[in-house]
Amino acid sequence: MDYKYIEQLLQRYWLCETTTEEEAILRSFFSQSHIPAELAGYRDLFVYEQAEAQTQAPGADFDERLLAIVEKQERPVKVVSIGQLSLYKRLRPLMHAAACIVGLAFVGSAASYIFNRQANMPEGWDYDANSYADSYENPTDALETIDDSFQALHDALGASAEMSNMTGDSLAIDANTLNNLKP
């Protein structure tokens, strides 16, 4: 079966060019039980009004019935004792406020330190990279200094590795030695 007319009506519907009679035709078409598969996706859009009309709205006495049900239910009575509050409970809001003030003071002092640490630097400190110049005029001298520094670091790491490899037996000290150390 050819559904060209329905497809044309749908295209005009999407462009908001259909009349109320043409929209009624679309609603009646999509309310049928047999709809082609390519048009079945549009069914819910056009049968929505009919489905909503079939749902029953609450009657005029709905409010009265609901209020009667609510009034029948027993409400539990909450007993609140008015006892004397301890000093701790009375001062708790003040302690919270004091803790907030201390926290704010800490954050403020930390922020002040961070933002003002440039002013607190000693006179000799300079973090401007443009003000630094090479300290060696000969690259060979600079390389020898770096090599010496790395050699010293290597020697220190080697010595610490030797110390860490010593077993517990070699570090044991007998009781006599300890007794001799006492003043």
Side-chain angles (χ1 to χ4, degrees):
M1 194 176 231
D2 191 19
Y3 297 104
K4 290 278 187 191
Y5 180 66
I6 297 297
E7 290 173 0
Q8 289 174 355
L9 282 179
L10 279 173
Q11 286 180 357
R12 289 184 55 219
Y13 181 80
W14 300 131
L15 296 173
C16 301
E17 296 175 351
T18 55
T19 62
T20 54
E21 292 83 19
E22 291 170 335
E23 290 176 11
I25 292 171
L26 286 171
R27 280 194 291 278
S28 65
F29 172 76
F30 283 106
S31 63
Q32 297 175 7
S33 60
H34 178 69
I35 296 177
E38 63 268 8
L39 297 176
Y42 304 117
R43 179 181 194 150
D44 292 338
L45 178 67
F46 292 101
V47 297
Y48 175 75
E49 290 178 12
Q50 292 174 353
E52 284 298 313
Q54 293 173 357
T55 59
Q56 294 181 350
D61 64 336
F62 176 75
D63 290 337
E64 294 170 4
R65 288 185 294 147
L66 187 61
L67 287 174
I69 291 171
V70 169
E71 288 175 357
K72 284 182 185 177
Q73 294 176 350
E74 291 183 20
R75 296 181 187 169
V77 177
K78 185 175 181 182
V79 178
V80 178
S81 63
I82 302 176
Q84 288 196 0
L85 295 174
S86 66
L87 180 64
Y88 173 75
K89 287 185 179 179
R90 280 189 270 159
L91 294 179
R92 192 180 319 176
L94 293 175
M95 286 188 268
H96 287 284
C100 289
I101 290 171
V102 167
L104 286 174
F106 176 74
V107 169
S109 65
S112 173
Y113 173 76
I114 289 171
F115 291 125
N116 294 328
R117 72 176 169 193
Q118 187 70 21
N120 296 335
M121 293 287 174
E123 286 294 322
W125 292 64
D126 183 16
Y127 287 112
D128 185 16
N130 295 329
S131 65
Y132 288 111
D134 288 337
S135 57
Y136 293 96
E137 293 183 16
N138 186 358
T140 308
D141 293 340
L143 184 61
E144 288 176 9
T145 304
I146 291 174
D147 284 342
D148 292 342
S149 299
F150 281 137
Q151 186 61 40
L153 179 64
H154 178 266
D155 294 342
L157 289 175
S160 68
E162 288 176 14
M163 291 298 290
S164 65
N165 289 335
M166 296 175 80
T167 63
D169 295 337
S170 64
L171 294 177
I173 300 174
D174 61 343
N176 292 331
T177 306
L178 289 176
N179 288 334
N180 293 336
L181 293 178
K182 288 184 182 178

